[in-house]
Amino acid sequence: MAEEEHLVIMDETAIRRALTRIAHEIVEKNKGIDDCVIVGIRTRGVYIANRVAERIGEIEGKPVPVRELDITQYRDDRHDEALTAAKMESAAALGEIDGIPFRTKDKRIILFDDVLYTGRTIRAAMDALMDCGRPRSIQLAVLVDRGHRELPIRPDFVGKNVPTSKQEQIQVSLQEIDLKDQVTIIHQRG
């Protein structure tokens, strides 16, 4: 049986600093937050998005809207007959919160995920967003970029670049669901 070696590469302080830096970079790149909407990919991307939105609110003195995106029905590794109906249901879930419809048309979307790897999750998220209208732009923010892209997708905002082998894993733990903040690289040995 193979042993695993766990190495913490970001602790609570490093994560906090990275998200604060990303918040400042977003404000700078967009010259404020007018017409910006932050969208977090379920699950950990949502918590990261909320943290960054809170920091942006402190910087700008006004809130930035935050939405949650479930891309399950948009993944390219799912194939079933009800896929089209399920996609429309996912878009509808993003589309309305508290009775207020969400439209991406002419908005600058800042999409958040915890780890960028092959790019397939991001492609699925962009498909879901496009079902809600045509945004002015989609920018990508990730806590960790580990490389190994299969699609031509590049993040605009990165907390940490971590070159990895395909045998390694990146595990993001967040206080909201894992009761601690840290990023760990897991090496398979043996």
Side-chain angles (χ1 to χ4, degrees):
M1 179 180 263
E3 287 184 41
E4 291 182 346
E5 179 183 339
H6 296 251
L7 175 65
V8 175
I9 56 173
M10 292 179 83
D11 60 11
E12 181 179 357
T13 301
I15 291 171
R16 185 179 61 252
R17 286 180 182 149
L19 297 181
T20 299
R21 180 176 37 77
I22 287 171
H24 282 280
E25 290 173 357
I26 288 169
V27 170
E28 184 177 336
K29 179 174 183 158
N30 292 287
K31 297 175 177 53
I33 56 169
D34 293 337
D35 296 321
C36 287
V37 177
I38 291 179
V39 177
I41 298 173
R42 207 180 271 169
T43 296
R44 285 172 181 77
V46 173
Y47 298 113
I48 294 168
N50 282 319
R51 291 184 190 188
V52 172
E54 184 178 313
R55 285 172 178 79
I56 289 173
E58 293 167 2
I59 295 164
E60 290 293 287
K62 60 183 177 180
V64 60
V66 181
R67 301 290 177 161
E68 182 176 320
L69 182 60
D70 180 3
I71 56 106
T72 305
Q73 304 303 325
Y74 287 85
R75 295 188 56 89
D76 62 6
D77 55 358
R78 290 195 50 149
H79 302 286
D80 56 41
E81 295 172 12
L83 191 57
T84 302
K87 282 182 180 181
M88 298 321 284
E89 188 177 309
S90 289
L94 174 68
E96 198 167 298
I97 294 179
D98 298 329
I100 300 168
F102 174 57
R103 304 281 182 253
T104 58
K105 184 174 176 10
D106 296 328
K107 299 290 184 190
R108 288 180 287 184
I109 305 295
I110 298 100
L111 184 62
F112 278 83
D113 203 5
D114 56 350
V115 178
L116 178 57
Y117 183 37
T118 63
R120 293 187 179 282
T121 298
I122 303 308
R123 186 218 39 91
M126 289 190 299
D127 286 348
L129 288 169
M130 296 304 271
D131 278 353
C132 295
R134 183 178 179 190
R136 182 183 317 164
S137 67
I138 299 175
Q139 300 165 29
L140 177 59
V142 296
L143 182 59
V144 177
D145 181 354
R146 65 170 290 191
H148 302 288
R149 222 71 81 237
E150 295 175 4
L151 299 172
I153 291 175
R154 179 183 53 85
D156 299 279
F157 312 102
V158 179
K160 185 172 184 76
N161 286 295
V162 182
T164 62
S165 75
K166 290 190 177 192
Q167 290 72 40
E168 294 173 317
Q169 295 177 339
I170 297 289
Q171 181 178 39
V172 174
S173 301
L174 297 175
Q175 184 67 39
E176 294 88 342
I177 50 178
D178 305 303
L179 305 179
K180 63 182 172 184
D181 280 346
Q182 72 180 27
V183 177
T184 308
I185 188 166
I186 302 170
H187 302 274
Q188 298 290 332
R189 292 188 313 182

